[in-house]
Amino acid sequence: MKLSFLAHAMHLSFEGDDFDVISFAPLKEATPSHISFFSDKKLLEDLKTSKAGAIIVTPEFQSFVPSHSQILLSENPYLSMAYASKLFAHKPFETSMPATISQEVHLAPNVVIGSGSIVEEGSYIMPNVTIGANVRIGKNVTIYPNVVIYDNAIIGDDCIIQAGAIIGSDGFGYAHTKMGEHIKIYHHGNVILEEEVEIGANSTIDRAVFGSTIIKKGTKIDNLVQIGHNCEIGAYSIIVAQAGLAGSSKLGRNVVMGGQSATAGHLEIGDFATIAARGGVSKSIEGGKVYGGFPLTLQSEWLKNNAKLARFFKKN
């Protein structure tokens, strides 16, 4: 797709040579064939060093754009990106081309597998499962009825996906106009489940806007859990029922999230941290400790404070 066509679709102008754009990409990961955008001052260093062929930016920050990148000026780069993201969207769940399925795979009735997908030996796929295009299902994977796996997902060896789970659905991402309209951001990334991951019944894992949502080796996710786009969950973590992770949350190794606990987006939780049931993580926290409550604090302190509060009201 030509940059000039994209710029026209976003109602933006630019000066310089036209070139073919393959897709959007984050500033840090973009190549000369990508277009990117800058809307967060925290990423200023990424802007300065980006290799993107073109960058959407406000006039305030155009002086920080590298000389090799085309500048596209916008009052709202995030909104401009949302408009353009639709142009890169592909027809989902394409089935016009064959999949590659090992002869040692058990396929129950009413299974749909999309174009170019691969299912390796020993996997067991139960009735009414739908698998999108260009999906890779590893060895000895068990997929229970009514699971949906969206395009481009990668499911590692020995994974178990319980009934009704959704892997790779659109993330909840919208940009907003001055009139308060919600403009959909089309997600072009995928979901990666590494080896020995288990996903509980009716849980949902959103695919990334760009790049991947990653669930690392040995992680166990309970029923009715929501994992937002671009999250990364470290190896051997445990996420208990009804927990919710907002987009771009990054969990270290062996993190435990109790039932109905949650995170705000764009934060990190250190290795071997535990969040008690209903705990609310609103900022990055270090590992190796047990936290609880909201606002989040050490679980021991939260229990003491609640005991003091109870004694206060009992006396009064």
Side-chain angles (χ1 to χ4, degrees), residues 60-228:
E60 179 185 0
F61 291 97
Q62 64 176 312
S63 62
F64 296 102
V65 176
S67 59
H68 56 261
S69 300
Q70 300 275 15
I71 297 175
L72 299 177
L73 294 179
S74 170
E75 292 183 4
N76 188 337
Y78 193 67
L79 179 61
S80 296
M81 180 274 295
Y83 282 123
S85 69
K86 185 176 182 178
L87 301 175
F88 292 102
H90 298 286
K91 181 181 178 182
F93 290 90
E94 179 61 50
T95 57
S96 61
M97 300 294 289
T100 301
I101 303 171
S102 169
Q103 293 182 351
E104 299 176 31
V105 169
H106 172 85
L107 289 182
N110 300 319
V111 172
V112 176
I113 302 178
S115 298
S117 290
I118 298 171
V119 185
E120 299 186 33
E121 62 265 27
S123 290
Y124 190 99
I125 303 178
M126 300 183 201
N128 302 315
V129 169
T130 299
I131 297 172
N134 301 310
V135 172
R136 187 178 189 95
I137 307 293
K139 299 178 179 64
N140 304 312
V141 173
T142 302
I143 303 177
Y144 283 85
N146 300 312
V147 167
V148 179
I149 301 176
Y150 282 60
D151 296 350
N152 304 309
I154 299 173
I155 312 299
D157 297 347
D158 301 304
C159 285
I160 299 171
I161 305 177
Q162 299 288 346
I166 309 294
I167 311 297
S169 50
D170 271 7
F172 193 71
Y174 300 87
H176 313 289
T177 69
K178 291 180 179 179
M179 297 299 295
E181 300 157 316
H182 311 304
I183 307 303
K184 181 177 178 61
I185 298 171
Y186 286 78
H187 289 54
H188 303 295
N190 71 341
V191 171
I192 298 174
L193 305 186
E194 294 186 354
E195 298 85 355
E196 302 172 20
V197 168
E198 181 165 357
I199 307 299
N202 292 317
S203 289
T204 56
I205 304 177
D206 294 340
R207 70 179 182 267
V209 181
F210 316 114
S212 300
T213 300
I214 303 173
I215 315 299
K216 293 192 174 181
K217 182 177 180 177
T219 287
K220 311 301 180 185
I221 295 177
D222 198 359
N223 303 332
L224 297 169
V225 169
Q226 158 66 17
I227 308 295

